[in-house]
Amino acid sequence: MTPGVTVVDHPLIRVKMTRIRDVGTSSEKFRARLAEVASLLLFEATRDLATRAENIRTPLAPFEGAALVRPVIIAPILRAGLGISEGMLRILPDATVAHIGMKRDEETHRPVPYYFNPPPNLAEADVIVADPMLATGHSASATIDLLKKAGAKSIRLVCCVSCNEGLTQMRTAHPDVPIFTAAVDPTLNERAYIVPGLGDAGDRYFGTL
Ligand code: URA
């Protein structure tokens, strides 16, 4: 496997991803399973976050617990990234959110940012870019360009389905950004959809099929 890429291979993720991929799954169930997979992926993607001691008292005794050293920012790429940011916020409710809108330039077929609203503490935070699909990798790369220009220093990317083309693009453009994915699928079709994939993640999440 490509260095810097973690395929989070877990029975629960495989089972939930099967429901997410299934064309017969309703938007309601798609949303629920996507949020669950996002929580599980985040668990792995945050394994190395630094903690400091926090002294508290249990009802019975003093106890040295832990608190995160740095703030966490979730950066969903609109619109499908909203689907996984929801699941991430469930287990990291203190995180703040940097929304990033990317649209496709119809001539160059490259992503162009149309919305970027990061919190002011990008440089001090661990930033988690969230997009269910890593297809060509161009949106994720452009998003990370923006985040770095705005000061972000610690960035990781979480996606549900990736493919070799997107992984190679990302690792070439941003070798410092670790990638966490639930699956690496074999191909991209002529419309840049991952195959077998799960279809259009935004349409399936928002019911706009
Ligand atoms: N975006 C999607 O929603 N699906 C893909 O397969 C590729 C990009």
Side-chain angles (χ1 to χ4, degrees):
M1 182 37 67
T2 323
V5 178
T6 304
V7 181
V8 188
D9 185 27
H10 188 287
L12 295 185
I13 294 187
R14 286 203 299 278
V15 167
K16 290 175 191 301
M17 284 300 298
T18 303
R19 296 279 61 81
I20 288 171
R21 289 177 186 272
D22 189 338
V23 67
T25 299
S26 65
S27 281
E28 183 191 358
K29 296 242 159 45
F30 184 92
R31 285 180 199 136
R33 298 296 84 76
L34 194 67
E36 290 162 4
V37 167
S39 300
L40 294 167
L41 289 173
L42 185 68
F43 186 73
E44 188 60 35
T46 52
R47 186 175 284 285
D48 64 343
L49 291 190
T51 57
R52 61 172 166 74
E54 181 176 324
N55 293 308
I56 57 146
R57 287 190 61 83
T58 76
L60 302 177
F63 178 76
E64 185 181 296
L68 290 178
V69 172
R70 289 152 60 81
V72 176
I73 295 175
I74 312 278
I77 305 179
L78 303 179
R79 67 187 164 135
L82 292 175
I84 49 177
S85 62
E86 186 204 317
M88 292 181 171
L89 286 167
R90 277 188 205 163
I91 56 166
L92 261 181
D94 291 347
T96 48
V97 181
H99 290 100
I100 298 156
M102 287 280 168
K103 64 176 184 212
R104 191 165 120 120
D105 180 305
E106 290 310 331
E107 271 172 29
T108 63
H109 296 164
R110 289 302 170 99
V112 181
Y114 67 87
Y115 186 74
F116 182 49
N117 191 1
N121 59 342
L122 268 182
E124 297 87 58
D126 289 302
V127 181
I128 300 172
V129 176
D131 195 346
M133 311 302 283
L134 182 67
T136 63
H138 292 305
S139 297
S141 286
T143 294
I144 291 165
D145 286 340
L146 267 182
L147 287 164
K148 284 183 175 173
K149 273 193 201 120
K153 293 189 175 53
S154 164
I155 305 176
R156 49 199 88 195
L157 171 68
V158 171
C159 56
C160 299
V161 186
S162 61
C163 61
N164 282 324
E165 186 169 332
L167 291 172
T168 304
Q169 152 64 29
M170 262 296 302
R171 294 302 297 159
T172 307
H174 296 290
D176 56 314
V177 173
I179 302 170
F180 298 85
T181 182
V184 183
D185 278 14
T187 49
L188 268 187
N189 71 11
E190 61 298 338
R191 293 176 54 226
Y193 277 85
I194 298 176
V195 182
L198 52 80
D200 188 301
D203 280 344
R204 293 199 60 199
Y205 185 84
F206 291 107
T208 47
L209 287 166

